[in-house]
């Protein structure tokens, strides 16, 4: 149904959380999936765990480092001869209120979340332009739409992802490359595991569908966007948030 058999897919930040589950979903559809992240041991272990679902290959990469990204894309092209889907998923938080937010936390978040997506798009799109086809999925966040106190750096990076998405969608549309963004709401992963029971209850009360999201909720949207079912969709932002942000 998703026609992803033998497609080459790169999922950055694929060693855990949302990226891991996206990688699993694509592998289950018969794609050759490359996962990357900084920590080599975790990445290797993730690829081993995912191997029961399909073809998954670990290649370490720090998305904030241009050489690291360039080498990653080069290795993928040498190994598979193509790159069909890029999922810009790697991301971090360094939360603090504006007055306490220091420059290094600003830089770390912007360099990973926004510059990382730029670098991966830049090097991956060269191959996609040669192929005259490709699909890029950028993982943003609903806070990139709404803002969030204590997350100025993160929200700015995720809002930047939306600008990157719409601009590259316009640049690449005539060349057969579609670019879309997913803006997840609150999804259960390591990134969000610090909530206590009271906070969890309060948060769930603000979600119309009445539950916190799962990585599978995001992976389903990624599969759809990468498939021919979404062949007439580019430059769009898909909120996967249980209805939390509707305006
Ligand atoms: P997570 O569980 O913390 O996983 C983050 C992944 O990114 C890990 O694989 C991590 O591996 C990798 N990563 C971090 N920095 C990297 C770098 N510089 N280069 C390469 N890989 C890097 O986070 P998650 O919750 O799954 O989030 C995934 C994406 O969804 C992020 O972009 C996040 O902002 C977005 N999102 C999450 C939520 C949520 O509620 N969880 C909501 C909205 C949006 P290493 O640390 O080993 O590099």
């Amino acid at each position: 149904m998703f026609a992803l058999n033998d497609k080459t897919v790169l999922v950055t930040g694929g060693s855990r959380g949302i990226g891991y589950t996206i990688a699993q979903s694509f592998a289950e559809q018969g794609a050759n999936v490359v996962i990357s992240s900084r920590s080599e041991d975790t990445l290797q272990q993730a690829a081993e765990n995912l191997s029961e679902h399909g073809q998954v290959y670990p290649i370490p990469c720090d998305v904030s480092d241009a050489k690291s990204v360039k080498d990653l894309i080069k290795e993928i092209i040498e190994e598979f001869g193509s790159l069909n889907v890029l999922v810009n998923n790697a991301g971090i938080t360094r939360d603090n209120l504006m007055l306490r937010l220091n420059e290094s936390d600003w830089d770390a978040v912007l360099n990973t979340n926004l510059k990382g997506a730029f670098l991966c798009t830049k090097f991956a799109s060269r191959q996609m332009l040669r192929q005259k086809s490709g699909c890029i999925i950028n993982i943003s966040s609903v806070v990139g739409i709404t803002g969030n106190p204590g997350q100025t750096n993160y929200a700015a990076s995720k809002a930047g992802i939306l600008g990157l998405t719409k601009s590259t969608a316009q640049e690449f549309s005539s060349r057969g490359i579609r670019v879309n963004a997913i803006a997840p709401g609150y999804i259960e992963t390591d990134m969000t595991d610090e909530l206590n029971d009271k906070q969890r209850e309060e948060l769930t009360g603000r979600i119309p569908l009445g539950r916190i999201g799962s990585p599978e909720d995001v992976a389903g949207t990624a599969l759809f966007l990468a498939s021919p079912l979404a062949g007439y969709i580019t430059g769009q932002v898909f909120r996967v948030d249980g209805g939390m942000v509707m305006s």
Side-chain angles (χ1 to χ4, degrees):
M1 169 164 142
F2 295 111
L4 293 163
N5 207 28
D6 292 330
K7 299 286 186 200
T8 310
V9 178
L10 167 60
V11 184
T12 68
S15 63
R16 48 196 165 82
I18 293 170
Y20 180 96
T21 303
I22 290 176
Q24 177 176 328
S25 303
F26 279 92
E28 285 169 348
Q29 295 299 320
N32 294 313
V33 183
V34 175
I35 54 172
S36 77
S37 69
R38 292 165 303 175
S39 135
E40 294 197 25
D41 290 348
T42 316
L43 185 67
Q44 189 65 45
Q45 188 58 56
E48 269 172 52
N49 296 344
L50 285 168
S51 64
E52 66 179 273
H53 300 281
Q55 302 297 321
V56 179
Y57 308 83
I59 306 179
C61 170
D62 178 346
V63 294
S64 66
D65 179 82
K67 182 170 182 323
S68 185
V69 174
K70 195 174 180 185
D71 290 347
L72 166 70
I73 303 295
K74 187 164 175 272
E75 195 173 334
I76 292 172
I77 306 307
E78 281 170 4
E79 189 65 35
F80 301 100
S82 65
L83 178 54
N84 306 105
V85 180
L86 164 65
V87 184
N88 279 316
N89 165 79
I92 59 168
T93 52
R94 296 276 187 281
D95 296 350
N96 223 327
L97 292 170
M98 179 50 109
L99 290 180
R100 294 199 202 117
L101 185 62
N102 62 40
E103 192 179 343
S104 66
D105 287 341
W106 175 271
D107 287 344
V109 168
L110 270 290
N111 285 343
T112 302
N113 299 6
L114 185 54
K115 183 181 165 194
F118 154 68
L119 290 171
C120 292
T121 299
K122 180 177 170 66
F123 292 112
S125 63
R126 287 181 183 167
Q127 174 63 24
M128 291 177 175
L129 288 167
R130 271 195 292 271
Q131 293 168 185
K132 297 191 174 56
S133 69
C135 170
I136 300 173
I137 298 167
N138 295 321
I139 307 298
S140 175
S141 165
V142 288
V143 309
I145 300 167
T146 62
N148 199 25
Q151 288 200 305
T152 319
N153 50 357
Y154 183 75
S157 73
K158 294 301 184 179
I161 286 279
L162 302 182
L164 175 77
T165 300
K166 292 173 190 177
S167 304
T168 47
Q170 290 174 43
E171 283 191 26
F172 295 153
S173 56
S174 65
R175 313 291 288 274
I177 303 169
R178 295 183 298 104
V179 189
N180 290 291
I182 300 175
Y186 204 91
I187 308 294
E188 199 101 55
T189 69
D190 289 354
M191 190 179 266
T192 50
D193 68 357
E194 80 285 359
L195 283 191
N196 61 37
D197 288 349
K198 190 165 176 290
Q199 289 168 320
R200 188 169 288 268
E201 201 180 316
E202 192 272 328
L203 175 70
T204 309
R206 288 196 285 122
I207 302 173
L209 287 180
R211 67 173 175 87
I212 288 172
S214 69
E216 286 76 10
D217 292 318
V218 181
T221 307
L223 272 185
F224 163 70
L225 286 174
S227 77
L229 295 172
Y232 198 51
I233 299 176
T234 196
Q236 304 304 310
V237 182
F238 289 77
R239 299 173 194 187
V240 179
D241 65 353
M244 209 162 56
V245 177
M246 291 196 189
S247 61

